[in-house]
Amino acid sequence: MAKPGLPKLIATDLDGTLVRSDDTVSAYTHEVLERVRAAGIRIVAATGRGPRLAELVRTDIRAADFLVLAQGGWVIDQNEGQLLRSTWLPGRDLALVLQSLEAEVGPLSVMVEALEHHDAPLWGDFDPTWRYPVVIEPRTRAECTTGGVIKAFARSFEHDVDDLLAAARRIVPPQVASVTQAGLNYVEICPPGVDKGTGLAVVTEAVGVDPADVLVFGDMPNDLPMFAWAGWGRVAVANAHPELLAVADEVTLPNDDDGVAVYLDKLLSR
């Protein structure tokens, strides 16, 4: 059982929040997370990374009991080795979303994540500005939208990502697709009803934890749904997007200064 006065479950974003700018997680952070888990508090990784990057997620947050991947569309129970949620966006719906967006903002560079196996390639338009190592398999828009996808990435040649997200929020019906952005200069297009809040709800329902007992950490607009959902506390790192800082209960140190671990260390020491 979790200690009285502490959350029963902690969920943290990875890139820009737990993971530092050099793509590493400090030994101090790993040690603090192990102490959190030893205190009886479940730990969840809540990330935009898709299932193709599950092994990297496990490396970055070794203490995690659950993985909430692909902005909430895929949920894995680490202890039981079970897939609790897997969602797909029909290709025809993605094609309509892209068509509607391009009618408003002009041409888009698009990549799709359609395969869940380890280190699977992305399909679509090669983008030299993509900051992470990835294999991009060139495919036409029609080929990318033939079948279902886990999610899609769309970048505008003329508009800032926040402006593109604002347009997508206005244009894309929520019953067709969910839209967000995670700091990669891309808007991410996911299946309807998919976000980190609904992904975490799958976890808490499985383990019998109330959202009021959940503490979350994040840095970007894709973390807004879990900030709205969690009740124990919502903590942004100091380097967070203004939208997240505006709704955070507290602000901790930046990711490069191990802000999540520093906050949790103090929490355990109360």
Side-chain angles (χ1 to χ4, degrees), residues 141-198:
R141 181 74 59 83
E143 289 172 328
C144 287
T145 56
T146 297
V149 304
I150 296 168
K151 63 176 180 173
F153 303 87
R155 180 172 68 88
S156 171
F157 298 99
E158 301 176 3
H159 300 276
D160 175 84
V161 65
D162 285 333
D163 293 334
L164 180 59
L165 179 59
R169 284 169 170 169
R170 185 178 69 253
I171 294 167
V172 181
Q175 67 271 23
V176 174
S178 300
V179 294
T180 190
Q181 75 102 341
L184 293 173
N185 293 321
Y186 278 82
V187 163
E188 299 191 20
I189 305 165
C190 301
V194 163
D195 60 50
K196 290 188 181 182
T198 61

Side-chain angles (χ1 to χ4, degrees), residues 78-95:
Q78 292 274 86
N79 300 320
E80 300 297 328
Q82 292 182 342
L83 181 63
L84 302 183
R85 187 188 201 189
S86 59
T87 58
W88 299 83
L89 176 63
R92 63 182 180 278
D93 292 345
L94 174 59

Side-chain angles (χ1 to χ4, degrees), residues 111-136:
M111 298 184 296
V112 304
E113 187 165 342
L115 304 171
E116 70 266 30
H117 65 262
H118 176 64
D119 272 350
L122 300 178
W123 296 346
D125 304 321
F126 172 74
D127 185 351
T129 70
W130 187 262
R131 70 175 296 264
Y132 297 110
V134 67
V135 175
I136 299 176

Side-chain angles (χ1 to χ4, degrees), residues 6-97:
L6 293 174
K8 294 180 180 178
L9 186 145
I10 289 169
T12 180
D13 172 58
L14 297 183
D15 300 301
T17 301
L18 192 78
V19 179
R20 300 179 293 191
S21 298
D22 63 359
D23 298 329
T24 65
V25 177
S26 71
Y28 168 64
T29 293
H30 284 302
E31 185 270 330
V32 170
L33 290 173
E34 290 294 346
R35 284 196 281 120
V36 167
R37 196 178 187 201
I41 302 170
R42 290 182 173 90
I43 297 174
V44 182
T47 177
R49 298 178 190 176
R52 68 190 181 88
L53 297 176
E55 291 306 314
L56 179 59
V57 173
R58 293 183 178 104
T59 297
D60 285 340
I61 184 165
R62 299 192 294 259
D65 298 287
F66 293 85
L67 308 183
V68 173
L69 307 172
Q71 307 297 5
W74 288 64
V75 178
I76 299 173
D77 182 336
Q78 292 274 86
N79 300 320
E80 300 297 328
Q82 292 182 342
L83 181 63
L84 302 183
R85 187 188 201 189
S86 59
T87 58
W88 299 83
L89 176 63
R92 63 182 180 278
D93 292 345
L94 174 59
L96 290 173
V97 167

